[in-house]
Structure formats: structure tokens, C-alpha cells
């Protein structure tokens, strides 16, 4: 009888000290100043410019992801309703707030329709603008920022340096600190993104298997995100707009 009482006591104590389930990094896509594209799967990993970053969890609502290649560190927090908020720091003191789209897989599904609209909006934006920071103030100028944006003529004595006093957002170029320049979109990368069959073929070659395309959507200005069903499960293929496959990783089933 004593043995049974002891076993019951141990079982009750064990159940009392079971660790609660830990919250995981949420699903989202983000665009950070300086043309930094971010994608996170629910529960990780987090990709910066298509590269898998080192993810560190501090608590249920705060994470950091670091890409050693670019020197970028992302601060990821979640609000009470689970909406992610992302900011970044980079080399040379660069920092800023990232524009987030898709707080949950369901929201991301609906967000694909918005991204289709974004592409239409981009096509209507100018590919060359003059953007000027007066009195050191930050100014945003509407622009088609898909692909590669460069300074074609500097107008200020202050040297314009990307990530320091100018950078890119989803539909605009921003300047501050006295930077004044003419910016031009030098690339048609977004318009020349591989078609679905070509992209699927590239991902299949990288995976070494034949898969069925589920979805293909743009991520930022330089990448395509393909969800593909293979015989051994569903995978995420991150591919650059020039056709190079960055990674093919399995998607965790919930």
C-alpha cells in the first residue's frame, strides 16, 4: 500500500511541474529599410535575404534573428493579439522599423491577394525620382522599388550612403540627414521573375524530386516563395528572381 501511495505522489508532483508550452516565432513576411527582405515560418526558421538566420528566443513574446553574412539583427516581438512587430539593426549603425505583412498563415493566405495588388501599384509608380532631405528631416518619395535602385545623381554636399541616410521601403525611397539625390530603378528583376513552370523546375532540380506547385508568391523585391508538395512532404523553396534556388526546406505540419 505504501508503494502505491508513493507512486501516486510522484505522479502528482510530476504533473504539477510540467513546463508550459512555449510560444513560437509567428509566420510573417517583412521588408526592412535598405532593401532587406525577411520571411519567417511559424515556429521558424527565419530567413534574411533568403538565408536562414540564427534564431534566439528570449521569452514567449520576444525573439532575435541574426544573419552573420550581412551583419543584420532582427528584433521580433508579438502584440497581445499575436501580430508581429519587427525592427532591425545593421552595420554602421543602420537601424529601422520593418513593414510586416502576414501575421498568421491564414492572414498570409489573404495577404497574397494584397501582394497581387501591390505589384499593380508598383507598376504605376515612377522608376526615377528626385528625393531631398531638407533641414535634416526624413522624407519619403513614392517609387517603384522592385529590383535594384541606385543613385544616378547626387544633389547634396552631404554624401548619400544607403542604410545610413537613405534606403528603400515597399513603395518608396526615403532620405534623411541632408541627403538629396536622383534615384533610378536600374532593374526589371521583378517583371522578369521566373514563370511558375520554370521556377518549379528549378526547385525540383535542387530537391532532386518531382513536386506539385501549391503556391508561388513574391517575397520582397528579389525572391519568390514556392510551396511545393513532394512525395516526402510539403516544402518551401526560396528562389531568387534570377532563377537561383536559395533553399528548399520542409514545412512543419501543425
Amino acid at each position: 500500500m505504501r508503494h502505491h501511495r508513493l507512486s501516486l505522489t510522484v505522479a502528482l508532483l510530476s504533473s504539477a511541474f510540467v513546463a508550459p508550452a512555449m510560444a513560437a516565432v509567428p509566420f510573417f513576411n517583412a521588408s526592412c529599410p535598405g532593401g532587406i527582405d525577411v520571411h519567417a515560418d511559424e515556429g521558424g526558421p527565419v530567413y534574411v535575404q533568403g538565408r536562414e538566420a540564427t534564431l534566439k528566443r528570449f521569452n514567449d513574446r520576444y525573439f532575435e534573428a541574426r544573419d552573420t553574412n550581412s551583419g543584420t539583427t532582427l528584433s521580433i516581438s508579438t502584440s497581445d493579439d499575436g501580430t508581429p512587430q519587427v525592427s532591425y539593426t545593421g552595420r554602421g549603425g543602420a537601424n529601422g522599423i520593418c513593414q510586416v505583412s502576414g501575421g498568421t498563415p491564414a492572414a498570409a493566405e489573404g495577404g497574397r491577394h494584397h501582394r497581387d495588388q501591390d505589384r499593380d501599384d508598383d507598376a504605376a509608380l515612377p522608376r526615377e525620382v528626385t528625393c531631398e532631405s531638407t533641414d535634416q528631416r526624413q522624407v519619403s518619395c513614392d517609387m517603384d522599388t522592385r529590383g535594384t535602385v541606385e543613385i544616378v545623381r547626387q544633389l547634396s554636399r552631404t554624401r548619400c550612403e544607403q542604410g545610413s541616410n537613405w534606403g528603400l521601403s515597399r513603395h518608396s525611397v526615403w532620405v534623411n540627414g541632408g541627403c538629396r539625390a536622383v534615384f533610378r530603378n536600374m532593374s526589371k528583376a521583378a517583371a522578369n521573375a521566373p514563370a511558375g513552370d520554370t521556377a518549379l523546375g528549378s526547385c525540383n532540380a535542387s530537391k532532386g524530386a518531382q513536386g506539385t506547385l501549391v503556391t508561388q508568391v513574391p517575397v520582397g523585391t528579389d525572391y519568390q516563395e514556392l510551396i511545393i508538395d513532394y512525395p516526402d512532404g510539403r516544402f518551401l523553396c526560396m528562389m531568387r528572381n534570377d532563377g537561383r534556388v536559395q533553399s528548399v526546406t520542409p514545412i512543419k505540419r501543425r
Side-chain angles (χ1 to χ4, degrees):
M1 181 65 69
R2 183 178 299 173
H3 174 73
H4 290 301
R5 286 201 206 95
L6 180 60
S7 299
L8 179 60
T9 301
V10 171
L12 290 172
L13 287 173
S14 298
S15 62
F17 288 97
V18 172
M22 294 188 298
V25 65
F27 174 99
F28 67 86
N29 291 314
S31 177
C32 305
I36 301 172
D37 295 320
V38 181
H39 168 79
D41 290 332
E42 185 176 10
V46 176
Y47 297 94
V48 178
Q49 298 291 68
R51 295 181 295 268
E52 184 173 341
T54 301
L55 183 62
K56 184 176 181 180
R57 175 188 176 278
F58 287 84
N59 56 53
D60 286 355
R61 296 178 60 174
Y62 181 74
F63 308 83
E64 283 189 356
R66 178 169 176 77
D67 174 38
T68 55
N69 188 288
S70 64
T72 300
T73 299
L74 301 170
S75 298
I76 306 166
S77 59
T78 55
S79 59
D80 291 338
D81 63 358
T83 302
Q85 298 171 332
V86 184
S87 62
Y88 89 102
T89 57
R91 294 191 177 115
N95 63 85
I97 303 298
C98 305
Q99 295 183 348
V100 177
S101 62
T104 65
E109 184 68 29
R112 291 190 179 98
H113 299 292
H114 294 292
R115 285 195 287 272
D116 290 340
Q117 183 62 49
D118 285 343
R119 289 198 295 275
D120 294 337
D121 293 342
D122 280 329
L125 293 173
R127 297 178 65 85
E128 180 174 310
V129 296
T130 299
C131 205
E132 303 178 86
S133 167
T134 56
D135 298 326
Q136 306 294 304
R137 295 178 181 175
Q138 179 155 325
V139 177
S140 293
C141 303
D142 290 344
M143 184 180 185
D144 180 353
T145 56
R146 296 173 299 173
T148 302
V149 175
E150 297 179 357
I151 293 176
V152 293
R153 187 166 76 255
Q154 183 163 306
L155 305 175
S156 59
R157 292 184 179 180
T158 301
R159 181 178 177 82
C160 296
E161 297 182 352
Q162 186 172 9
S164 177
N165 56 9
W166 78 272
L168 303 174
S169 296
R170 187 174 296 276
H171 300 300
S172 63
V173 58
W174 57 266
V175 294
N176 61 27
C179 169
R180 296 185 294 116
V182 179
F183 299 87
R184 180 181 300 164
N185 190 320
M186 310 296 289
S187 172
K188 294 183 179 180
N192 294 332
D197 53 349
T198 304
L200 176 61
S202 297
C203 292
N204 284 347
S206 180
K207 177 72 167 63
Q210 293 298 312
T212 302
L213 181 64
V214 179
T215 60
Q216 179 181 352
V217 294
V219 178
T221 57
D222 297 319
Y223 292 88
Q224 297 286 311
E225 173 193 286
L226 289 84
I227 304 298
I228 304 171
D229 279 340
Y230 286 105
D232 57 340
R234 181 163 290 187
F235 283 71
L236 167 69
C237 176
M238 294 293 292
M239 186 186 66
R240 297 181 64 90
N241 282 339
D242 60 9
R244 288 182 295 166
V245 174
Q246 191 77 29
S247 61
V248 181
T249 55
I251 296 176
K252 297 176 182 177
R253 297 283 188 175
R254 294 188 301 277

